[in-house]
Amino acid sequence: MKPTLTSALAESKSVVVMLPKSPYFDQVAAALSLFLSLKDKNATIMCDTPMTVEFNRLIGVNKVSA
């Protein structure tokens, strides 16, 4: 039986959320919501493209690392 995302997250100790190069606003918002929901995990959020002023109103955007 395939593991579901919920069960995979429950069993994991650390999670990396990766964004594509030049992400759209909605992609960053969705990735940040997932990242922020993983408070009890050792979570990291990454993107090759630096976050621009376009994303500055999103909570947690300062946590995105290169």
Side-chain angles (χ1 to χ4, degrees):
M1 185 171 180
K2 286 184 175 180
T4 63
L5 178 62
T6 305
S7 65
L9 286 174
E11 295 172 7
S12 66
K13 294 181 181 170
S14 62
V15 177
V16 177
V17 179
M18 298 181 73
L19 285 159
K21 287 187 179 187
S22 303
Y24 296 113
F25 186 86
D26 292 343
Q27 292 171 318
V28 177
L32 282 169
S33 68
L34 174 61
F35 168 75
L36 293 171
S37 71
L38 299 170
K39 291 180 181 179
D40 59 338
K41 304 287 181 186
N42 182 14
T44 305
I45 184 166
M46 302 179 78
C47 184
D48 285 343
T49 307
M51 294 291 102
T52 60
V53 72
E54 171 189 6
F55 305 115
N56 72 349
R57 62 185 175 173
L58 294 173
I59 295 172
V61 74
N62 60 319
K63 303 290 185 184
V64 178
S65 60

